[in-house]
Amino acid sequence: MAKRLLVAYGLWALGGPLGLHHIYLGRDSHALLWMLTLGGFGGGWLWDFWHLPSWVATANGARVARAHGGTVPALSPLRLVGQVTVGVYFGLMAALGLPWVPALLAQPLAVGLGVQLVSSVGDQTSRAPNTLAAAFLTSLLFQGRVLAVLPTSLAATIAAQRHRGYKPPGMPRPRLAARLYHLGLACLAFAAPLACRGLYGAAGVLGTLMALPRAVTELLLTPIRAGWHLAELLGVTGGSSVCEGGTSFQASGWSERQLRAYEVLGLPVGSPAEDVHRSYRDLVKVWHPDHNRHRAEEAERRFIELHEAHEELAGPRR
């Protein structure tokens, strides 16, 4: 089916940064490059405006004169700059989206694929093994550091330029569904790691935001709590309320030994002497060492504590 220039311009205007006009004209490598870089970072999309007529003519079967009439394309400074730029871009995206993958694997692979993608735009191509080999060797020299993306991209670009050539003529074109399927897989492979990384970062931000109200509340209450503790230390509050086992009482007027004694006997503070004697007799029978030979150490300790508590509380309140 003949391609129409008006349709190509319409797709360029509506979805140019996503490469819709390139898909329409059968330029899948160019379309994928535009999808992953949003139209060559915007500038490439505008540049396409002047080239659409020739691309439509080529898609309709017009022959394009090859420079110098040979088998090796002429060196294109624009393509060379694009290879270096996209290689660096792919390398940085790999470092951002694949932090769990070793840098010596992810970085050169991403850089090499980016350079190779630019090399295959239009009717040109290059030898992918040579491009990837140059990327891996250069990355190995720089030990996979993030700053190595530039020299790695330069080395891969030089290798791609040295082995550039034309695509074989008369290659069969797959159906549109198959082409879209392959483009979708490529976009998914590029975007999925970045999406996972973004979701992980968003989850961390969400957790921080959820904890923010509590942190603000604690911060606002800090002066109040500090003032209350200071008042307690100065004796302004007249004693503090102490809770133990769900029972509240005024700590002023009772010594720590007496409070501990009531706790050992299992009695509320201020219990009468009769309750003290009764609780003491009952607990002594339970914890007498002669009745607890299987746990002699614990029984002896508890027996001594009961005896000391009884002596502390047996007399009148001090």
Side-chain angles (χ1 to χ4, degrees), residues 7 9 58 116 122 205 212 222 228 260 275 283 318:
V7 175
Y9 272 116
T58 302
Q116 183 63 27
V205 173
L212 188 60
T222 298
W228 178 257
R260 174 61 181 166
D275 293 344
L283 292 175
R318 301 172 186 176

Side-chain angles (χ1 to χ4, degrees), residues 23 28 173-185:
I23 296 177
D28 291 349
R173 182 178 301 175
R175 294 183 178 181
L176 179 61
R179 292 167 52 207
L180 293 178
Y181 174 73
H182 293 151
L183 289 173
L185 286 181

Side-chain angles (χ1 to χ4, degrees), residues 72 154 201 230 252 284:
V72 178
L154 285 171
L230 180 61
S252 59
V284 162

Side-chain angles (χ1 to χ4, degrees), residues 172-248:
R173 182 178 301 175
R175 294 183 178 181
L176 179 61
R179 292 167 52 207
L180 293 178
Y181 174 73
H182 293 151
L183 289 173
L185 286 181
C187 291
L188 181 63
F190 183 87
L194 296 176
C196 293
R197 184 72 171 176
L199 290 176
Y200 179 79
V205 173
L206 181 60
T208 302
L209 293 177
M210 293 179 64
L212 188 60
R214 181 176 180 181
V216 172
T217 303
E218 293 291 334
L219 181 62
L220 294 177
L221 291 178
T222 298
I224 300 176
R225 292 174 177 172
W228 178 257
H229 288 304
L230 180 61
E232 288 182 347
L233 292 175
L234 297 177
V236 177
T237 59
S240 60
S241 178
V242 181
C243 296
E244 183 67 35
T247 304
S248 300

